Amino acid sequence: MKLITAVVKPHRLDEIKEALQAFGVQGLTVTEASGYGRQRGHTEVYRGAEYTVDLVPKIRIEVLAEDDDADQLIEVVVKAARTGKIGDGKVWSVPVDTAVRVRTGERGPDAL
Amino acid sequence: MPPGITLAADAPGLSAANTGFMLICSALVMLMTPGLAFFYGGMVRVKSTLNMLMMCFISLGIVTILWVLYGFSLAFGTDSGSLIGWSSDYVGLSGIGINQLWDGYTIPVYVFAVFQLMFAIITPALISGALADRVKFTAWALFVALWATVVYFPVAHWVWGSGGWLFEMGVIDFAGGTAVHINAGAAALGVILVIGKRVGFKKDPMRPHSLPLVMLGAGLLWFGWFGFNAGSWLGNDDGVGAVMFVNTQVATAAAMLAWLAYEKIRHGSFTTLGAASGAVAGLVAITPSGGSSSPLGAIAIGAVAGLLCAMAVGLKYRFGYDDSLDVVGVHLVGGVVGSLLVGFFATGGVQSDAKGLFYGGGFEQLGKQAVGVFAVLAYSLIVSAILALVLDKTIGMRVGEDDEISGIDQVEHAETAYDFSGAGGGAGSRKTAPAPAETVAAAPQTRKVDA
C-alpha cells in the first residue's frame, strides 16, 4: 500500500476531489496547511512598512492506495491540481506497512 | 420634584435646542474613546488586543472620577496666574445649580462639564497607542491619573480656560489641536523615549491582527468627531456648528485621499490601513482650524495633513524610537500641521477676527500658533517623560520580557481576545469545579484560567 500526500493550492480542492471520485477512490483526508516552495511567499505593506509573509495557505490531501494504483492516482491528482502558475504544490507517495478499518478490524487492501 | 430643582423655564437664557445638541455632541465624543480602542486594538498583534482595548477604556473610568473631583475645577475654574484654574464650587460639581448657565452661553454648566470631560478622557487614551504590548496595566492606570492631573487639566486651562495664557494670547485651538492631539502626541514621545522599544522591534513582524477592527474604530472616530468639532461652538443657534460639521467632513475626505495617493505612488497599493490612518490624520488636522477656515481651506488642510502624516509614520524606523501605532506620526504631526495651518487659512469670519497669511492677516496669527504648538509640545514632552521615569524607577513601567513575548493579555488581564482552539479540550476547562455549599468559603480563590 501507498500513502499519497498532496500539498496544493486550496482552490483546487473541488477539482481534485471530483477527479479522485471519478477514479474510484473511496475516502480521503483534507487538512489546512501552510508553507512555501521555491516561490516563497508574498509581501504586505502596513503604513509603509513591508512584511514578507513566507507561509502561504495550502491544503494537504492524503489518500491511501493499493500499490498498483498509486502511480496512476498521483497522475490524477497532479492533473487536477495544476494551474500552471507558480505555487501549485507537490505530490508524493510513501509505502505503508498496514492499515486497519476501525469499525470492522479489516486489514490491508480490504481496509481501503 | 426634589427641593432646589427648577425648570428650564425658570432659567432665562437657557436654550433647550443648544442644550439638547450639546448633550448629543457629548455622547458622540464619548463614543470616540471606544472607537479609538478598536482603531488601536486592530493594529496590535492578537496577543495584546485586550490590553490595547483596556488601556483606552480605563481612561473612561479614571478621568471621569478625577474630572468630577477636581479636574473640571483645575481646567475651567477661576484663573490663577494664567496657568491653572480653581473654583471650589466645581469641586465634586457640588456648587453648580441645575439651571446655572455656562459663562456667556445658553447651555448649563453641567452640559459644558460633561462635554469637556469627554475630551479629557480621550486625550490620555490617545497616548496608549505608542505604548502597545509592553506596559504594566497598573503603571498605565497611575500614569493616566497623574498625567491628566499635571498635564491635561493645566494645558486645557491654558488653551481654553478664561484667563489661560494661550487663550488670552489669541492662539486658536478650536476643538483640541494643541490641547488634545499635540498634547497626547508629545506625551507619547516622552514616554516611549523612557520605556524603550518593544522586544523584537524592527526584527519581528508586528502586523496588525485585524484591519476590519481598525476600520470600525476609524469609522466610529470619524462619526464621533462631529460631536468633537461641531459641538465646540457650544451651540448651533447661529448655524456655526454646521460650518464645523462641513469642515470636518471635507478635511477628513481630503486627507484620506491624499494618504492613499501617496501610498499608491510610494508603495504600489491603496491599503486599508492607509485609508483609516489618512482619515484620522485629517480629523486631527481640522480639529484646531475647523472654526476658522473655509471648506476649501479645510480641503487643503486635510490634504497637506494626509500627505505629511503618511510621510511621518516612517520616521520611527529611521530614528529608532518605537512609537508602536504611530501616535507621534499621526497625532503629533497632524496636530502641529493643523495648528500651524490656522495661521495660513484663518478667514477671520467665523470663530475669531484673526486672519491667516492667505487672507491678508500677515504672520501674526502664525506666530501665535507656533507659540501654542511649541509650549504645549515642550511641556507635555518633558513632564510626561518625567512621570514615566518616576513610575519606571518606583513600580516599573514594563512587563517582563518573557511576558511581553508570550503576550500581555494573559499576564495583565488573565484573558485572551480570541479562542482559536478547535474541538476537544482546547477551549479550556474550569480549573475549579463547583464546590459543595459548605466548603465554598474554604475553596481556593483561583483567578487565572488555564492557558
Side-chain angles (χ1 to χ4, degrees):
Chain A
M1 276 183 304
K2 294 275 172 63
L3 171 66
I4 295 159
T5 304
V7 176
V8 293
K9 285 183 170 168
H11 74 275
R12 302 306 293 173
L13 176 60
D14 281 347
E15 283 83 352
I16 296 167
K17 253 176 21 187
E18 281 163 22
L20 287 173
Q21 273 162 10
F23 187 76
V25 169
Q26 303 283 339
L28 50 76
T29 305
V30 178
T31 322
E32 285 181 29
S34 55
Y36 60 82
R38 267 182 292 179
Q39 94 280 8
R40 307 292 286 196
H42 58 266
T43 304
E44 296 180 8
V45 184
Y46 298 95
R47 279 183 178 157
E50 293 192 355
Y51 298 90
T52 305
V53 180
D54 266 346
L55 300 173
V56 291
K58 298 280 175 190
I59 50 164
R60 178 188 176 103
I61 301 169
E62 288 166 306
V63 187
L64 282 170
E66 291 195 52
D67 289 338
D68 293 347
D69 294 338
D71 282 348
Q72 222 180 330
L73 232 163
I74 290 174
E75 283 313 308
V76 167
V77 174
V78 168
K79 200 172 158 216
R82 181 176 291 147
T83 68
K85 293 188 190 132
I86 208 151
D88 269 354
K90 280 200 179 37
V91 183
W92 62 88
S93 73
V94 288
V96 174
D97 286 344
T98 187
V100 183
R101 172 170 285 127
V102 174
R103 175 168 57 85
T104 58
E106 290 163 290
R107 286 181 164 263
D110 291 341
L112 297 183
Chain B
M1 203 159 46
I5 300 282
T6 47
L7 292 171
D10 300 328
L14 185 143
S15 158
N18 284 346
T19 301
F21 172 73
M22 289 307 297
L23 285 171
I24 290 168
C25 285
S26 306
L28 282 172
V29 181
M30 181 273 162
L31 189 64
M32 290 170 71
T33 298
L36 180 79
F38 285 121
F39 179 65
Y40 283 168
M43 268 189 276
V44 292
R45 290 166 288 176
V46 167
K47 61 185 180 181
S48 38
T49 313
L50 294 177
N51 180 249
M52 202 66 252
L53 297 178
M54 278 292 281
M55 282 172 89
C56 292
F57 236 79
I58 196 67
S59 186
L60 282 159
I62 294 171
V63 179
T64 299
I65 302 301
L66 297 187
W67 188 251
V68 171
L69 291 181
Y70 59 78
F72 183 53
S73 184
L74 286 178
F76 292 100
T78 308
D79 178 69
S80 168
S82 300
L83 293 175
I84 197 76
W86 188 258
S87 293
S88 54
D89 280 352
Y90 293 168
V91 175
L93 303 183
S94 55
I96 301 168
I98 198 164
N99 56 358
Q100 186 182 331
L101 300 187
W102 178 245
D103 188 27
Y105 289 88
T106 58
I107 58 170
V109 178
Y110 270 118
V111 176
F112 179 73
V114 292
F115 182 65
Q116 286 295 339
L117 161 63
M118 302 311 172
F119 284 63
I121 288 168
I122 195 171
T123 309
L126 286 170
I127 303 168
S128 66
L131 319 182
D133 301 351
R134 59 199 190 282
V135 171
K136 282 182 194 166
F137 193 68
T138 337
W140 168 250
L142 267 171
F143 178 83
V144 169
L146 294 170
W147 189 85
T149 305
V150 301
V151 181
Y152 185 80
F153 300 154
V155 168
H157 181 76
W158 299 357
V159 176
W160 293 318
S162 176
W165 72 280
L166 293 175
F167 181 82
E168 297 299 328
M169 184 193 286
V171 173
I172 294 178
D173 181 4
F174 187 64
T178 42
V180 175
H181 297 287
I182 293 175
N183 203 356
L189 187 57
V191 177
I192 55 184
L193 291 178
V194 172
I195 66 168
K197 305 162 198 167
R198 285 168 291 179
V199 173
F201 176 64
K202 280 168 107 173
K203 292 197 288 279
D204 299 342
M206 296 179 180
R207 288 189 291 156
H209 91 279
S210 170
L211 288 175
L213 273 193
V214 174
M215 287 304 252
L216 170 71
L220 287 174
L221 278 171
W222 193 335
F223 180 66
W225 224 288
F226 290 121
F228 207 66
N229 286 0
S232 284
W233 193 249
L234 304 183
N236 194 34
D237 44 7
D238 48 8
V240 174
V243 176
M244 315 313 157
F245 197 110
V246 171
N247 283 346
T248 304
Q249 180 67 9
V250 300
T252 308
M256 180 172 79
L257 297 178
W259 189 302
L260 286 173
Y262 172 80
E263 270 194 326
K264 179 66 181 169
I265 294 164
R266 182 81 177 71
H267 303 289
S269 319
F270 300 111
T271 71
T272 311
L273 185 58
S277 312
V280 173
L283 289 163
V284 169
I286 198 60
T287 295
S289 51
S292 56
S293 66
S294 69
L296 283 176
I299 290 178
I301 290 168
V304 171
L307 195 64
L308 291 180
C309 290
M311 294 163 83
V313 293
L315 294 178
K316 65 178 177 182
Y317 298 110
R318 191 172 310 165
F319 295 120
Y321 62 87
D322 186 8
D323 173 15
S324 317
L325 310 181
D326 299 310
V327 181
V328 176
V330 174
H331 292 277
L332 179 57
V333 173
V336 169
V337 168
S339 295
L340 292 180
L341 286 182
V342 170
F344 292 87
F345 287 99
T347 59
V350 189
Q351 185 188 359
S352 82
D353 296 334
K355 290 185 176 182
L357 210 49
F358 295 160
Y359 292 84
F363 286 94
E364 192 190 343
Q365 191 60 35
L366 183 60
K368 289 177 183 174
Q369 295 303 116
V371 170
V373 165
F374 180 75
V376 173
L377 199 164
Y379 180 73
S380 181
L381 180 79
I382 292 166
V383 177
S384 306
I386 293 171
L387 285 179
L389 204 60
V390 169
L391 286 171
D392 199 39
K393 295 288 178 211
T394 50
I395 61 171
M397 278 292 271
R398 291 187 65 147
V399 297
E401 195 175 315
D402 288 359
D403 292 337
E404 191 182 324
I405 292 167
S406 66
I408 194 167
D409 283 2
Q410 270 181 5
V411 181
E412 290 290 301
H413 306 291
E415 293 171 306
T416 44
Y418 306 97
D419 182 359
F420 290 120
S421 59
S429 52
R430 277 181 72 104
K431 190 165 183 176
T432 45
E438 66 269 21
T439 62
V440 162
Q445 296 297 304
T446 310
R447 290 196 312 117
K448 298 205 174 183
V449 176
D450 267 351

